[in-house]
Amino acid sequence: MGLFAKPEYETVILDYRAAVTDDFPCIEAYGDVFGQTKYCNACYGLKDLSMYDDGRFDKLMNDLKNSQGRLRIGVDIKMKNGIPVDFKIDLEHLAATVGNPDIAKLELIGWGFNDEPDPDFLK
């Protein structure tokens, strides 16, 4: 990949778990990423804050939690010189997989691409 080359992304299908941290939905996708175990942590904000008031946020989290361990999600892995360096969780794919279109209305506010699980994830 040259200095001004477009980043290369490859999609992998990973397991995930979901949690709420400080009222924000968070997802940790994990598994084998081209021979390495990786943990893709992402926290999201809601584009539509009325989701907290009308019950859609609770439904969204219930759908995510009820699907974890049963369904796997698409994660786009950013590659640099053949090495995975970053990721994006495909929210459209996740919404279709889980069956809740509100998932696609999330907005990424923080993330981490790690070699170990986040010990604070489920606290």
Side-chain angles (χ1 to χ4, degrees):
M1 183 161 91
L3 184 59
F4 298 106
K6 184 177 177 180
E8 297 176 28
Y9 286 89
E10 295 189 40
T11 301
V12 295
I13 305 298
L14 300 174
D15 290 312
Y16 80 93
R17 58 187 180 156
V20 176
T21 302
D22 297 326
D23 292 327
F24 295 106
C26 297
I27 297 170
E28 182 176 67
Y30 58 92
D32 185 292
V33 176
F34 307 112
Q36 301 175 41
T37 300
K38 291 290 188 179
Y39 296 84
C40 307
N41 299 311
C43 288
Y44 298 92
L46 302 181
K47 291 180 183 177
D48 180 0
L49 296 180
S50 69
M51 290 174 64
Y52 286 117
D53 298 326
D54 63 15
R56 288 183 294 152
F57 175 73
D58 292 331
K59 179 166 178 14
L60 179 148
M61 291 309 303
N62 284 335
D63 289 346
L64 283 171
K65 288 180 179 182
N66 289 338
S67 297
Q68 66 188 13
R70 291 186 313 108
L71 301 176
R72 299 175 61 162
I73 62 173
V75 179
D76 298 326
I77 304 296
K78 182 178 180 180
M79 304 294 288
K80 183 174 182 181
N81 298 324
I83 298 171
V85 295
D86 203 0
F87 75 96
K88 290 189 292 188
I89 293 176
D90 184 340
L91 293 178
E92 294 290 335
H93 180 264
L94 180 58
T97 300
V98 173
N100 186 323
D102 284 326
I103 293 170
K105 298 175 186 171
L106 298 176
E107 182 173 38
L108 184 66
I109 59 173
W111 71 96
F113 190 55
N114 306 306
D115 295 328
E116 297 180 7
D118 182 350
D120 297 323
F121 187 76
L122 293 176
K123 289 185 180 180

